[in-house]
Amino acid sequence: QVQLVESGGGLVQAGGSLRLSCAASGRTFSYYAMAWFRQAPGKEREFVTAISWGGGATYYADSVKGRFTISRDNTNDTAYLQMNSLKPEDTAVYYCAAVRRIYPDLRTIADYWGQGTQVTVSS
């Protein structure tokens, strides 16, 4: 029902910024919360951030709070991840997901996933 395509990844220096986009297609985009996850080499996939259906509620992992901002534009079916003050430990493949549930402990139930986009932070 929903297809997701990430873009905007690349190589940046520590302290720099990058903006990821997640373009969605399908009739049900606006009814899903959206989330970003990341997976570094040899590590498990981890939750980064999520945003509610209408954008009124956001959630952030402690590791990115204050540096990353999630947003969505339901008029063009796109979710965004603005990443500032990037650190080498932010290096990972970043995935967007359409999620059905977000629990208080930030565990999620995701129905759809994008293909991922590589973010590499040097220095």
Side-chain angles (χ1 to χ4, degrees):
Q1 292 284 80
V2 178
Q3 295 80 46
L4 306 173
V5 179
E6 301 99 330
S7 62
L11 174 65
V12 298
Q13 294 181 339
S17 297
L18 200 63
R19 192 190 198 204
L20 306 183
S21 298
C22 177
S25 61
R27 294 183 291 109
T28 61
F29 174 79
S30 295
Y31 298 102
Y32 282 93
M34 295 295 297
W36 289 92
F37 297 78
R38 66 187 182 187
Q39 187 168 24
K43 304 293 185 180
E44 294 185 2
R45 184 174 298 176
E46 65 174 337
F47 172 85
V48 177
T49 181
I51 187 167
S52 62
W53 297 342
T58 56
Y59 312 86
Y60 295 93
D62 289 341
S63 59
V64 305
K65 186 179 286 290
R67 300 188 299 119
F68 290 11
T69 303
I70 188 172
S71 61
R72 68 188 297 166
D73 184 347
N74 290 340
T75 66
N76 61 13
D77 291 350
T78 303
Y80 304 94
L81 180 61
Q82 179 66 46
M83 303 183 293
N84 299 326
S85 301
L86 283 162
K87 305 174 181 179
E89 51 262 45
D90 295 319
T91 295
V93 177
Y94 283 71
Y95 300 89
C96 68
V99 302
R100 180 178 301 183
R101 297 285 300 276
I102 304 174
Y103 293 94
D105 63 357
L106 301 185
R107 181 170 56 90
T108 61
I109 299 176
D111 282 352
Y112 304 97
W113 294 85
Q115 84 288 348
T117 186
Q118 176 71 47
V119 172
T120 302
V121 184
S122 64
S123 187

